[in-house]
């Protein structure tokens, strides 16, 4: 995470961007001024979604934006071409309910499909935070075997759902 943070700081140097390292569930404990946007890339499914929505809503300005994505392997979504085969922690309806319960409205959603080379998929799962998805080496070996079995000519097709929520503005008098 440190290397990625340094690259981001370099890219946005001189711009009105502040980087804070924190668990998403605790943003409202470390951010003391309201913010325009919160972005979560490739990690939402690893978090306590209820607490994330609460925390994000607490730090967003009125009309502020919360954007995140979810992969096809961790989320069942009607717009995906292929649905996951295992039970998942939450559904699209759950996300909409949690958002609404925290004064956030869905303003945009879309899907993106892409293919990755098998070695890219395997390298991704060597990232320390991704290694946490495997309780044992056997779990990881089983996962890798399935990836190899399902790959098409060395390519793994993935779908991601992207969501943008907006904090509702205050009602006019």
């Amino acid at each position: 995470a440190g290397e990625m943070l340094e690259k981001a700081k370099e890219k946005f140097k001189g711009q009105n961007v502040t980087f804070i390292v924190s668990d998403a569930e605790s943003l409202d404990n470390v951010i003391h001024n309201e913010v325009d946007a919160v972005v979560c890339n490739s990690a939402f499914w690893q978090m306590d979604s209820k607490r994330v929505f609460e925390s994000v809503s607490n730090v967003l300005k009125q009309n502020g934006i919360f954007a995140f994505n979810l992969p096809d392997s961790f989320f069942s979504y009607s717009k995906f071409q292929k649905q996951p085969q295992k039970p998942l922690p939450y559904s699209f309806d759950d996300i909409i309910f949690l958002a609404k319960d925290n004064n956030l409205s869905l303003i945009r959603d879309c899907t993106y499909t892409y293919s990755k080379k098998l070695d890219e998929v395997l390298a991704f799962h060597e990232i320390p935070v991704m290694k946490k998805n495997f309780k044992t080496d056997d779990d990881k070996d089983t996962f890798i075997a399935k990836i190899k079995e399902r790959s098409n000519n060395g390519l793994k097709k993935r779908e991601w759902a992207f969501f943008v929520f907006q904090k509702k503005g205050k009602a006019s008098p």
Side-chain angles (χ1 to χ4, degrees):
E3 185 178 326
M4 292 171 63
L5 182 60
E6 290 308 313
K7 286 186 182 284
K9 285 180 179 179
E10 184 179 307
K11 182 176 181 174
F12 291 98
K13 188 175 184 174
Q15 297 185 36
N16 186 19
V17 176
T18 303
F19 294 93
I20 296 171
V21 178
S22 170
D23 291 337
E25 297 91 343
S26 303
L27 284 177
D28 52 354
N29 294 328
V30 296
I31 297 176
H32 305 291
N33 296 317
E34 291 182 324
V35 299
D36 296 312
V38 174
V39 178
C40 177
N41 183 43
S42 302
F44 188 83
W45 69 91
Q46 298 179 30
M47 302 172 195
D48 176 344
S49 53
K50 181 179 187 304
R51 182 65 188 119
V52 170
F53 272 107
E54 290 169 359
S55 183
V56 167
S57 182
N58 288 338
V59 302
L60 281 177
K61 292 178 180 176
Q62 293 299 322
N63 298 315
I65 298 295
F66 176 38
F68 64 93
N69 55 7
L70 288 163
D72 57 6
S73 56
F74 291 95
F75 184 62
S76 180
Y77 187 48
S78 64
K79 295 182 181 181
F80 284 155
Q81 294 175 13
K82 186 174 140 188
Q83 297 301 311
Q85 297 176 347
K86 60 184 177 184
L88 301 169
Y90 44 77
S91 67
F92 178 71
D93 289 342
D94 294 332
I95 287 174
I96 297 300
F97 175 80
L98 290 171
K100 191 174 187 178
D101 202 37
N102 287 284
N103 203 28
L104 296 164
S105 298
L106 181 67
I107 60 171
R108 176 110 166 85
D109 66 307
C110 65
T111 60
Y112 177 74
T113 304
Y114 68 96
S115 295
K116 275 187 159 181
K117 294 179 183 174
L118 188 56
D119 60 340
E120 292 174 309
V121 174
L122 298 176
F124 177 75
H125 289 283
E126 288 300 318
I127 298 171
V129 71
M130 296 310 297
K131 284 183 176 183
K132 292 179 183 178
N133 289 327
F134 308 108
K135 293 178 183 168
T136 66
D137 285 340
D138 286 343
D139 289 345
K140 183 178 176 183
D141 292 343
T142 300
F143 172 80
I144 290 171
K146 284 181 183 177
I147 291 289
K148 287 179 178 179
E149 179 184 309
R150 293 181 187 158
S151 71
N152 182 13
N153 297 322
L155 294 176
K156 168 91 170 126
K157 184 177 173 182
R158 295 295 308 264
E159 290 181 281
W160 283 79
F162 295 83
F163 301 99
V164 180
F165 288 87
Q166 184 173 41
K167 187 169 180 178
K168 296 177 187 173
K170 293 181 179 175
S172 301

